[in-house]
Amino acid sequence: MFNFDFSNGYVLLRIIVGLFLIPHGVAKITFRPGPLGFFTAAGYPAPGLFVNFGIVFEFVIGLALILGIYTAPAAWLTVAFMLVASASVFKVTKGKWLWNLGGCEYPLFWAICAYIVATNPT
């Protein structure tokens, strides 16, 4: 817990994965119509509930990863979260891959990064 050894690549990756979750939580708060429309398009029941879940998840799990608290469980939850996000983006974009075209590449990349953190907890 509270391992901030920046010479360790796994520690750096853990912190970066946590840091990248936080702005997405902020975006769900500051621009609610965007994620609400996305969850609606993806076919989620009660899309507002999923937006709220995403906000809480991204802040709580993001902080856990940044601080190194329950690193492996937090990282495994992030893997699952990002795989669901990737599948949802794939569905909504009708199979687009490239992130700059709105595809699923970005959340899948972060799922892989979280997997590396989960299997090498620091």
Side-chain angles (χ1 to χ4, degrees):
M1 184 158 78
F2 300 123
N3 180 355
F4 294 104
D5 176 10
F6 295 121
S7 67
N8 182 331
Y10 294 116
V11 171
L12 267 169
L13 185 59
R14 182 200 82 217
I15 293 169
I16 290 168
V17 170
L19 285 171
F20 269 70
L21 288 172
I22 303 296
H24 290 272
V26 171
K28 285 176 180 64
I29 294 168
T30 59
F31 185 67
R32 194 166 178 89
L36 198 54
F38 173 79
F39 284 116
T40 300
Y44 284 78
L49 183 65
F50 282 93
V51 172
N52 291 338
F53 172 78
I55 292 166
V56 172
F57 180 91
E58 288 164 339
F59 279 105
V60 172
I61 299 300
L63 286 173
L65 289 169
I66 292 165
L67 298 174
I69 300 169
Y70 297 110
T71 301
W76 281 116
L77 287 170
T78 303
V79 170
F81 185 80
M82 289 299 174
L83 288 175
V84 170
S86 188
S88 298
V89 170
F90 189 82
K91 177 182 178 183
V92 170
T93 64
K94 296 175 178 43
K96 287 186 183 172
W97 169 253
L98 297 174
W99 71 270
N100 54 335
L101 301 176
C104 65
E105 174 188 24
Y106 182 81
L108 186 58
F109 169 78
W110 286 108
I112 293 166
C113 290
Y115 173 80
I116 292 167
V117 172
T119 56
N120 298 280
T122 55

